[in-house]
Short mmCIF file of all heavy atoms in Angstrom, two decimals:
data_model
loop_
_atom_site.label_atom_id
_atom_site.label_comp_id
_atom_site.label_asym_id
_atom_site.label_seq_id
_atom_site.Cartn_x
_atom_site.Cartn_y
_atom_site.Cartn_z
N MET X 60 99.92 87.31 103.62
CA MET X 60 99.13 87.68 104.80
C MET X 60 99.08 89.20 105.01
O MET X 60 98.05 89.72 105.51
CB MET X 60 99.58 86.89 106.06
CG MET X 60 98.77 87.15 107.29
SD MET X 60 99.38 86.33 108.81
CE MET X 60 99.26 84.64 108.23
N SER X 61 100.21 89.81 104.75
CA SER X 61 100.31 91.25 104.99
C SER X 61 99.51 92.09 104.05
O SER X 61 99.32 93.29 104.32
CB SER X 61 101.79 91.65 104.96
OG SER X 61 102.26 91.64 103.62
N LEU X 62 98.96 91.54 102.98
CA LEU X 62 98.13 92.26 102.04
C LEU X 62 96.64 91.88 102.20
O LEU X 62 95.77 92.37 101.46
CB LEU X 62 98.58 91.96 100.64
CG LEU X 62 99.91 92.54 100.18
CD1 LEU X 62 100.33 92.10 98.83
CD2 LEU X 62 99.80 94.07 100.22
N ARG X 63 96.35 91.09 103.24
CA ARG X 63 94.92 90.92 103.53
C ARG X 63 94.37 92.22 104.09
O ARG X 63 95.03 92.85 104.95
CB ARG X 63 94.75 89.76 104.54
CG ARG X 63 95.19 88.38 104.08
CD ARG X 63 95.02 87.34 105.15
NE ARG X 63 95.52 86.06 104.81
CZ ARG X 63 95.60 85.05 105.63
NH1 ARG X 63 95.24 85.17 106.90
NH2 ARG X 63 96.09 83.86 105.21
N PRO X 64 93.16 92.58 103.72
CA PRO X 64 92.55 93.86 104.28
C PRO X 64 92.57 93.87 105.78
O PRO X 64 92.78 94.93 106.36
CB PRO X 64 91.18 93.80 103.67
CG PRO X 64 91.27 93.05 102.45
CD PRO X 64 92.31 92.02 102.69
N SER X 65 92.34 92.74 106.43
CA SER X 65 92.33 92.64 107.85
C SER X 65 93.69 92.97 108.51
O SER X 65 93.76 93.43 109.60
CB SER X 65 91.82 91.28 108.37
OG SER X 65 92.67 90.25 107.97
N MET X 66 94.77 92.76 107.73
CA MET X 66 96.12 92.94 108.23
C MET X 66 96.67 94.32 107.75
O MET X 66 97.62 94.82 108.32
CB MET X 66 96.98 91.76 107.81
CG MET X 66 96.68 90.50 108.44
SD MET X 66 97.21 90.47 110.25
CE MET X 66 96.94 88.78 110.61
N ALA X 67 96.07 94.80 106.65
CA ALA X 67 96.71 95.93 105.96
C ALA X 67 95.97 97.28 106.29
O ALA X 67 96.25 98.26 105.69
CB ALA X 67 96.69 95.71 104.45
N GLY X 68 94.98 97.22 107.18
CA GLY X 68 94.24 98.42 107.59
C GLY X 68 93.09 98.66 106.61
O GLY X 68 92.64 99.89 106.47
N GLY X 69 92.49 97.67 105.99
CA GLY X 69 91.37 97.85 105.18
C GLY X 69 91.63 97.53 103.71
O GLY X 69 92.80 97.42 103.31
N GLU X 70 90.61 97.36 102.96
CA GLU X 70 90.73 96.97 101.58
C GLU X 70 91.46 98.04 100.79
O GLU X 70 92.29 97.76 99.91
CB GLU X 70 89.39 96.69 100.95
CG GLU X 70 89.50 96.19 99.53
CD GLU X 70 88.11 95.71 99.03
OE1 GLU X 70 87.15 95.62 99.81
OE2 GLU X 70 88.02 95.30 97.78
N GLU X 71 91.06 99.32 100.98
CA GLU X 71 91.71 100.35 100.15
C GLU X 71 93.22 100.48 100.47
O GLU X 71 94.01 100.60 99.52
CB GLU X 71 91.10 101.69 100.50
CG GLU X 71 91.66 102.89 99.70
CD GLU X 71 90.93 104.15 99.97
OE1 GLU X 71 89.92 104.11 100.70
OE2 GLU X 71 91.39 105.23 99.46
N SER X 72 93.62 100.31 101.72
CA SER X 72 94.98 100.36 102.07
C SER X 72 95.81 99.15 101.50
O SER X 72 96.83 99.34 101.00
CB SER X 72 95.16 100.35 103.61
OG SER X 72 96.56 100.33 103.97
N ALA X 73 95.14 98.01 101.56
CA ALA X 73 95.78 96.78 100.92
C ALA X 73 96.02 96.95 99.47
O ALA X 73 97.11 96.61 98.95
CB ALA X 73 94.88 95.56 101.18
N LEU X 74 95.03 97.53 98.74
CA LEU X 74 95.18 97.79 97.32
C LEU X 74 96.29 98.80 97.05
O LEU X 74 97.09 98.65 96.04
CB LEU X 74 93.83 98.23 96.72
CG LEU X 74 92.76 97.17 96.65
CD1 LEU X 74 91.42 97.82 96.20
CD2 LEU X 74 93.19 96.02 95.74
N GLN X 75 96.33 99.88 97.82
CA GLN X 75 97.38 100.91 97.69
C GLN X 75 98.77 100.26 97.95
O GLN X 75 99.72 100.52 97.15
CB GLN X 75 97.13 101.99 98.64
CG GLN X 75 95.90 102.85 98.30
CD GLN X 75 95.62 103.91 99.36
OE1 GLN X 75 96.12 103.85 100.51
NE2 GLN X 75 94.74 104.81 99.01
N GLN X 76 98.97 99.51 98.94
CA GLN X 76 100.22 98.84 99.21
C GLN X 76 100.67 97.94 98.09
O GLN X 76 101.77 97.90 97.67
CB GLN X 76 100.18 98.09 100.54
CG GLN X 76 100.05 99.05 101.76
CD GLN X 76 100.00 98.26 103.05
OE1 GLN X 76 100.78 97.31 103.24
NE2 GLN X 76 99.10 98.62 103.94
N GLU X 77 99.65 97.15 97.64
CA GLU X 77 99.99 96.25 96.53
C GLU X 77 100.43 96.99 95.30
O GLU X 77 101.34 96.56 94.52
CB GLU X 77 98.72 95.39 96.23
CG GLU X 77 99.03 94.26 95.22
CD GLU X 77 97.85 93.30 95.10
OE1 GLU X 77 96.74 93.53 95.65
OE2 GLU X 77 98.02 92.21 94.39
N ALA X 78 99.77 98.17 95.05
CA ALA X 78 100.14 98.94 93.81
C ALA X 78 101.57 99.52 94.01
O ALA X 78 102.27 99.50 93.00
CB ALA X 78 99.18 100.10 93.69
N VAL X 79 101.90 99.93 95.13
CA VAL X 79 103.33 100.42 95.37
C VAL X 79 104.32 99.31 95.05
O VAL X 79 105.37 99.55 94.46
CB VAL X 79 103.46 101.01 96.78
CG1 VAL X 79 104.92 101.31 96.99
CG2 VAL X 79 102.66 102.22 96.96
N ILE X 80 103.96 98.10 95.63
CA ILE X 80 104.91 96.99 95.41
C ILE X 80 105.09 96.62 93.95
O ILE X 80 106.19 96.35 93.43
CB ILE X 80 104.42 95.76 96.23
CG1 ILE X 80 104.63 96.08 97.74
CG2 ILE X 80 105.10 94.50 95.82
CD1 ILE X 80 103.93 95.03 98.64
N GLU X 81 103.97 96.66 93.27
CA GLU X 81 104.01 96.31 91.81
C GLU X 81 104.80 97.30 91.00
O GLU X 81 105.40 97.03 89.97
CB GLU X 81 102.57 96.21 91.30
CG GLU X 81 101.78 95.02 91.77
CD GLU X 81 100.36 95.00 91.23
OE1 GLU X 81 99.95 96.02 90.66
OE2 GLU X 81 99.70 93.97 91.50
N GLN X 82 104.80 98.60 91.41
CA GLN X 82 105.50 99.67 90.74
C GLN X 82 106.93 99.82 91.16
O GLN X 82 107.68 100.58 90.55
CB GLN X 82 104.76 100.85 90.90
CG GLN X 82 103.35 100.92 90.27
CD GLN X 82 102.53 102.10 90.68
OE1 GLN X 82 102.99 103.05 91.30
NE2 GLN X 82 101.22 102.03 90.35
N ALA X 83 107.34 99.17 92.24
CA ALA X 83 108.70 99.36 92.85
C ALA X 83 109.71 98.46 92.03
O ALA X 83 109.91 97.31 92.34
CB ALA X 83 108.70 99.04 94.27
N ASP X 84 110.31 99.03 90.99
CA ASP X 84 111.28 98.25 90.13
C ASP X 84 112.43 97.79 91.01
O ASP X 84 113.06 96.77 90.65
CB ASP X 84 111.74 99.14 88.95
CG ASP X 84 110.64 99.35 87.95
OD1 ASP X 84 109.68 98.55 87.93
OD2 ASP X 84 110.71 100.38 87.22
#
Side-chain angles (χ1 to χ4, degrees):
M60 183 184 296
S61 67
L62 289 172
R63 294 177 185 173
S65 60
M66 292 288 188
E70 185 172 354
E71 183 177 354
S72 177
L74 290 173
Q75 291 174 345
Q76 291 181 42
E77 189 170 8
V79 172
I80 290 170
E81 289 177 353
Q82 295 168 9
D84 290 336

